[in-house]
């Protein structure tokens, strides 16, 4: 067989019309389908892999006998793309993708990102701003009278009134602006199946008011008489301050944020109601978490584990990162104030069985480009696998926001044994050469298990291990709900000893956040001095971004702690945010002029110079007659213009590629 014939044979095999959820009429015809039951409109490129939410929900519904199609990254100036597969019988499901569309597009400095990780070849013009709203309204135009169900992380984190960093204003629930019939929040498998089953049985969408994990709108006259809850177990509805109140009064915003956080446990969370003008958003209690058998069934679905053939040779950057990784669990009980994982995935850890994970390992081995290296075995936090409260009764009644802050709860089972056993079994599978943990380790838990740290250092670290101490100043760490720096240092010492014992030279790669609420320039200087004293030059520095619904965002917007009402200093000026970040990058000459400005502003000119304790050198003198070699003290360089505009202008339709290039 010639090279051309071999390539054509491979391309034809890759273009299997039955392999993916259909994206084209040709794929529907190959199945003999004249219509769909459910159409999913997805802000991400279609990658048939369980790490991508749209594919996960689509496969889940398909596995229950429904005919599901996918429209990925449609045009948003007309309905032609949405109409490609015809009108579905039950509903249209809308997701902005794996990230909030605004976070996906703009940086902490509100500049355009240079790459969209979830688009072909990283293109930045493949989805609109506020994609949930745009796609939902587009679906209304395309399919009048058809139920529209909104889901995904963008919808989940904007389900109530929320502060939006990119417009610097409090916005109302996305349910109103999207005009969707239902909003699914949290992990959507249980709610979306109940919605589909009840619609299939003939119930109208207006009757689906009691589905856990969903929100809907109530019209005037339909909510004012709902009795208000007075205590947790009275079975009544908790009223949140109205949208107008939280928009106009930061004290009301704090009250809303505090009250909402205490209603996220499926075991005791009350229904919530938030008035928006004459209407109100009604939120049912969160959906019940999946049991191990449910998780196993979900990940046993027939994922192709590659991007849809229509993308040809174009790469989806996010997929390239995760295609040889395995998710073992979901959820996080850390409760970090800057993170929204808990608000979306929940605090209860939902784990797969070892047998399910091993089945996925064997599926990985069958991939053409797999070379025996599993890039990650983990989840939001790798070492929370199978950790739960010691009592279901205690867990269902608990209203604590974190199981590990200010200290590890005595009821939390922190045994790393199941994870150690799982990792050993994965390593022993035929064809597996290396198994890495790349999704992050909670070090305050890991330090309780020397056996896990030894396994981690000997077998699952490729020279560097990512951890997230975030800061070193206790007052800042307290606002982050992170453990004190002593915990990180104990873990670092144990990991260094375990690496030495294994005969390996390995290092921790610590992540830090600049500009977090509670952090001043003085605090950042203390952190920079800590780093320099230990010879650390961090490259993983995150400029704090206030994402919807997190507790740190409430602090950023209001200037106060939602739980204590105490004032919290916050760097809101973009220039000061740059100064804080520059201090963490004290070792980088490109940041020296900003770091000097920060030190002068904080009254620490003693740290500018060539002495050992200094953070940055003094400004180099400018030679007479020479051009200025670096910015003057106090200059803040203009950010380079991003590769695209932030307007809602739709992208141009690319010409349809020939058949061969689509495979």
């Amino acid at each position: 067989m010639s090279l051309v014939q071999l390539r054509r044979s491979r391309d034809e095999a890759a273009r299997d019309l039955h392999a993916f959820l259909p994206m084209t009429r040709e794929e529907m015809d190959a199945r003999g389908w004249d219509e769909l039951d459910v159409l999913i409109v997805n802000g991400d490129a279609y990658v048939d892999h369980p790490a991508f939410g749209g594919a996960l929900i689509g496969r889940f519904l398909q596995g229950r006998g429904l005919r599901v199609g996918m429209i990925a990254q449609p045009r948003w100036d007309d309905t032609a793309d949405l109409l490609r597969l015809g009108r579905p019988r039950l509903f249209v499901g809308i997701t902005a993708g794996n990230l909030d569309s605004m976070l996906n597009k703009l940086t902490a400095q509100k500049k355009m990102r240079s790459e969209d990780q979830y688009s072909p070849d990283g293109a930045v013009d493949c989805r609109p701003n506020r994609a949930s709203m745009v796609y939902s309204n587009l679906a209304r135009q395309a399919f009048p009278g058809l139920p529209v169900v909104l889901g995904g992380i963008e919808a989940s984190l904007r389900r109530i009134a929320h502060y939006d960093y990119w417009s610097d204003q409090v916005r109302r629930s996305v349910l109103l602006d999207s005009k969707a019939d239902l909003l699914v929040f949290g992990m959507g498998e249980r709610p979306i199946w109940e919605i589909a089953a009840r619609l299939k049985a003939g119930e109208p969408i207006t009757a689906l008011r009691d589905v856990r994990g969903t929100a809907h709108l109530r019209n005037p006259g339909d909510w004012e008489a709902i009795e208000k809850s007075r205590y947790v177990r009275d079975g009544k509805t908790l009223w949140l301050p109205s949208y107008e109140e939280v928009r106009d009064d930061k004290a009301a915003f704090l009250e809303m944020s505090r009250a909402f956080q205490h209603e996220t446990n499926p075991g005791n969370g009350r229904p919530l109601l938030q008035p928006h003008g004459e209407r109100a958003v009604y939120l049912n209690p969160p959906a019940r978490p999946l049991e191990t058998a449910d998780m196993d069934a979900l990940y046993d679905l027939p994922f192709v584990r590659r991007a849809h053939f229509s993308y040809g040779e174009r790469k989806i950057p996010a997929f390239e990162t995760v295609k040889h990784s395995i998710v073992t669990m979901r959820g996080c009980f850390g409760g970090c104030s800057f993170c929204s994982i808990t608000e979306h995935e929940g605090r209860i850890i939902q784990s797969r069985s070892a047998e399910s994970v091993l089945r996925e390992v064997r599926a990985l081995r069958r991939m053409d480009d797999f070379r025996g290296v599993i890039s990650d075995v983990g989840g939001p936090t790798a070492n929370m696998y199978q950790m739960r409260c010691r009592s279901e009764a205690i867990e269902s009644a608990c209203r604590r926001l974190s199981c590990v802050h200010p200290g590890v709860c005595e009821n939390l089972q922190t045994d790393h044994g199941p994870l150690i056993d799982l990792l050993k079994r994965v390593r022993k599978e035929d064809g597996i050469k290396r198994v890495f943990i790349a999704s992050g380790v909670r070090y305050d838990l890991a330090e309780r298990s020397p056996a896990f740290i030894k396994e981690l250092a000997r077998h699952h670290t490729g020279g560097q291990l990512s951890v997230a101490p975030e800061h070193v100043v206790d007052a800042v760490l307290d606002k982050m709900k992170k453990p004190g720096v002593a915990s990180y240092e104990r873990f670092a010492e144990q990991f260094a000893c375990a690496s030495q014992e294994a005969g390996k030279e390995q290092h921790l790669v610590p992540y830090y956040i600049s500009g977090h609420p509670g952090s001043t320039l003085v605090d950042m200087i203390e952190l920079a001095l800590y780093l320099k004293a230990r010879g650390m030059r961090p490259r993983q520095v995150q400029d704090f971004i206030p994402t919807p619904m997190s507790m740190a965002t409430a602090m950023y917007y209001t200037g106060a702690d939602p739980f204590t009402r105490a004032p919290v200093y916050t760097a809101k000026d973009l220039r000061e945010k740059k100064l804080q970040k520059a201090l963490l990058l004290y070792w980088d000459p490109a940041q020296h002029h900003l770091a000097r400005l920060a030190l002068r502003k904080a009254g620490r000119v003693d740290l500018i110079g060539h002495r050992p304790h200094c953070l940055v050198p003094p400004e180099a003198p400018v030679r007479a007659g020479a051009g200025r070699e670096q910015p003057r003290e106090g200059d803040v360089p203009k950010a380079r213009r991003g590769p695209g505009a932030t307007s809602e202008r739709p992208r141009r339709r690319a010409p349809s590629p020939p058949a061969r290039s689509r495979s």
Side-chain angles (χ1 to χ4, degrees):
M1 181 181 291
S2 70
L3 181 61
V4 172
Q5 289 174 319
L6 182 64
R7 184 174 297 164
R8 183 178 296 127
S9 174
R10 183 196 65 191
D11 291 347
E12 288 173 355
R15 198 172 176 274
D16 184 347
L17 298 178
H18 294 86
F20 294 85
L21 300 174
M23 288 244 290
T24 63
R25 269 289 180 181
E26 186 181 14
E27 293 169 272
M28 286 181 62
D29 292 341
R31 291 169 167 81
W33 294 357
D34 56 353
E35 68 174 350
L36 299 171
D37 293 314
V38 177
L39 175 65
I40 294 177
V41 180
N42 189 358
D44 292 338
Y46 175 27
V47 179
D48 199 60
H49 186 284
F52 292 77
L56 191 70
I57 292 297
R59 286 293 187 188
F60 175 80
L61 292 173
Q62 183 195 53
R64 279 154 177 73
L66 297 181
R67 293 168 295 180
V68 183
M70 177 81 70
I71 299 294
Q73 300 187 320
R75 288 183 55 161
W76 57 92
D77 60 338
D78 63 44
T79 60
D81 282 352
L82 265 65
L83 292 168
R84 190 166 67 228
L85 301 182
R87 182 185 177 96
R89 193 165 62 92
L90 299 180
F91 67 89
V92 179
I94 306 290
T95 173
N98 271 18
L99 281 180
D100 184 281
S101 60
M102 299 306 293
L103 178 63
N104 188 68
K105 183 164 287 189
L106 299 173
T107 68
Q109 289 290 318
K110 302 186 180 182
K111 304 298 181 183
M112 281 286 292
R113 296 189 188 276
S114 60
E115 183 179 59
D116 181 338
Q117 290 279 314
Y118 294 91
S119 294
D121 287 340
V124 296
D125 60 347
C126 293
R127 82 182 86 212
N129 294 345
R130 310 193 189 283
S132 294
M133 293 163 43
V134 175
Y135 291 152
S136 293
N137 283 285
L138 201 64
R140 282 278 186 225
Q141 297 174 39
F143 309 113
L146 186 71
V148 175
V149 179
L150 183 60
I153 194 165
E154 179 170 279
S156 186
L157 299 183
R158 295 176 181 268
R159 61 191 186 259
I160 61 173
H162 56 280
Y163 173 72
D164 180 78
Y165 174 65
W166 295 275
S167 61
D168 191 25
Q169 64 182 4
V170 176
R171 297 180 66 96
R172 59 186 188 170
S173 167
V174 71
L175 190 55
L176 285 96
D177 292 326
S178 68
K179 301 180 176 63
D181 293 284
L182 285 177
L183 183 153
V184 174
F185 60 84
M187 304 306 281
E189 294 87 7
R190 290 195 191 280
I192 205 68
W193 173 238
E194 183 175 348
I195 291 166
R198 290 172 65 175
L199 289 175
K200 187 178 179 182
E203 288 191 60
I205 191 71
T206 53
L208 274 58
R209 289 183 156 196
D210 57 347
V211 180
R212 294 183 70 105
T214 68
H216 61 270
L217 283 177
R218 300 229 173 172
N219 292 319
D222 190 28
W223 60 269
E224 294 89 342
I226 293 177
E227 193 171 358
K228 297 181 180 180
S229 176
R230 301 299 179 187
Y231 57 92
V232 174
R233 296 197 177 275
D234 62 5
K236 298 172 185 175
T237 300
L238 178 65
W239 284 44
L240 299 176
S242 71
Y243 161 68
E244 290 76 16
E245 289 175 305
V246 301
R247 179 195 62 194
D248 299 335
D249 182 0
K250 290 183 177 180
F253 191 98
L254 286 171
E255 173 58 24
M256 174 194 70
S257 302
R258 183 202 62 77
F260 171 83
Q261 286 291 320
H262 285 295
E263 306 303 326
T264 56
N265 183 343
N268 58 39
R270 288 171 284 185
L272 303 175
L273 182 142
Q274 185 174 48
H276 283 64
E278 294 183 345
R279 309 176 78 187
V281 175
Y282 189 93
L283 301 98
N284 289 295
R288 301 285 183 188
L290 297 183
E291 301 296 337
T292 296
D294 301 319
M295 288 281 286
D296 289 357
L298 187 61
Y299 284 87
D300 281 344
L301 292 168
F303 295 97
V304 183
R305 302 186 72 90
R306 63 175 186 266
H308 190 267
F309 59 74
S310 62
Y311 301 115
E313 297 299 317
R314 291 177 293 171
K315 304 292 187 183
I316 316 299
F319 174 55
E320 297 302 310
T321 301
V322 303
K323 66 180 177 179
H324 295 151
S325 67
I326 294 178
V327 173
T328 61
M329 45 74 68
R330 64 169 56 160
C332 182
F333 49 68
C336 298
S337 62
F338 52 82
C339 179
S340 299
I341 289 176
T342 298
E343 283 79 5
H344 183 62
E345 295 193 15
R347 290 181 173 83
I348 298 174
I349 302 302
Q350 301 152 72
S351 302
R352 298 167 63 186
S353 69
E355 290 72 22
S356 171
V357 173
L358 294 175
R359 286 194 293 271
E360 188 170 357
V361 171
R362 293 159 197 154
L364 268 180
R365 291 204 317 248
R366 295 191 288 271
M367 293 180 67
D368 292 340
D369 60 351
F370 183 66
R371 301 292 181 265
V373 179
I374 298 177
S375 60
D376 185 30
V377 175
T381 303
N383 62 323
M384 288 185 183
Y385 178 72
Q386 288 197 15
M387 290 187 181
R388 292 287 295 267
C389 185
R390 65 179 176 85
S391 164
E392 287 189 15
I394 294 174
E395 184 178 72
S396 64
C398 183
R399 297 177 68 78
R400 183 170 169 170
L401 301 182
S402 171
C403 299
V404 290
H405 187 272
V408 178
C409 177
E410 61 182 9
N411 294 313
L412 179 65
Q413 296 177 322
T414 61
D415 181 17
H416 284 67
L419 177 56
I420 294 172
D421 178 67
L422 172 65
L423 294 170
K424 287 180 178 178
R425 295 179 67 178
V426 172
R427 293 199 306 268
K428 290 179 181 177
E429 282 291 305
D430 292 340
I432 301 303
K433 299 175 183 177
R434 293 298 306 272
V435 180
F436 292 113
I437 290 179
S439 52
V441 169
R442 184 86 190 193
Y443 51 84
D444 50 348
L445 296 174
E447 68 168 313
R448 292 172 161 238
S449 177
F452 170 69
I453 294 178
K454 288 181 179 179
E455 287 282 310
L456 182 66
R458 183 173 294 275
H459 299 291
H460 304 291
T461 303
Q464 295 182 333
L465 178 70
S466 296
V467 289
E470 312 295 10
H471 215 286
V472 298
V473 176
D474 286 342
V476 181
L477 290 169
D478 183 62
K479 295 305 177 191
M480 294 177 168
K481 294 193 181 301
K482 293 285 289 186
V485 69
S487 177
Y488 168 72
E489 291 175 340
R490 289 192 298 268
F491 170 78
E493 183 177 357
Q494 290 182 65
F495 181 77
C497 291
S499 295
Q500 184 177 16
E501 189 177 301
K504 295 185 174 184
E505 183 178 350
Q506 300 184 140
H507 307 280
L508 297 179
V509 179
Y511 287 73
Y512 294 97
I513 296 179
S514 63
H516 191 278
S519 178
T520 65
L521 282 176
V522 172
D523 295 324
M524 296 306 294
I525 291 169
E526 186 172 338
L527 173 53
L529 290 170
Y530 174 93
L531 297 173
K532 183 174 182 183
R534 289 155 181 79
M536 298 166 66
R537 295 184 169 190
R539 297 181 182 272
Q540 306 290 350
V541 176
Q542 172 66 57
D543 190 355
F544 171 70
I545 301 179
T547 52
M549 203 173 284
S550 75
M551 287 297 92
T553 297
M555 295 181 210
Y556 175 91
Y557 171 62
T558 64
D561 187 308
F563 302 102
T564 66
R565 302 300 177 95
V568 177
Y569 175 80
T570 302
K572 300 186 92 171
D573 181 76
L574 293 181
R575 190 183 190 190
E576 183 175 346
K577 286 168 69 68
K578 284 185 177 182
L579 297 183
Q580 290 209 18
K581 188 173 182 178
L583 287 167
L584 280 183
L585 300 172
Y586 68 91
W587 51 270
D588 183 357
Q591 300 293 326
H592 283 173
H593 65 289
L594 288 175
R596 283 191 287 267
L597 176 61
L599 292 170
R600 287 198 169 102
K601 188 174 181 180
R604 294 302 307 271
V605 292
D606 58 302
L607 297 178
I608 302 173
H610 295 292
R611 288 165 294 177
H613 74 281
C614 292
L615 283 174
V616 294
E619 186 175 13
V622 179
R623 297 188 304 274
R628 192 155 54 95
E629 296 180 358
Q630 63 180 24
R632 288 190 299 269
E633 199 69 66
D635 283 357
V636 177
K638 294 181 179 180
R640 286 179 289 180
R641 191 172 182 82
T646 60
S647 70
E648 295 292 334
R649 184 175 63 240
R651 59 192 169 101
R652 293 177 293 176
R653 183 187 292 276
S656 298
R660 272 193 66 196
S661 68
R662 288 169 61 86
S663 60

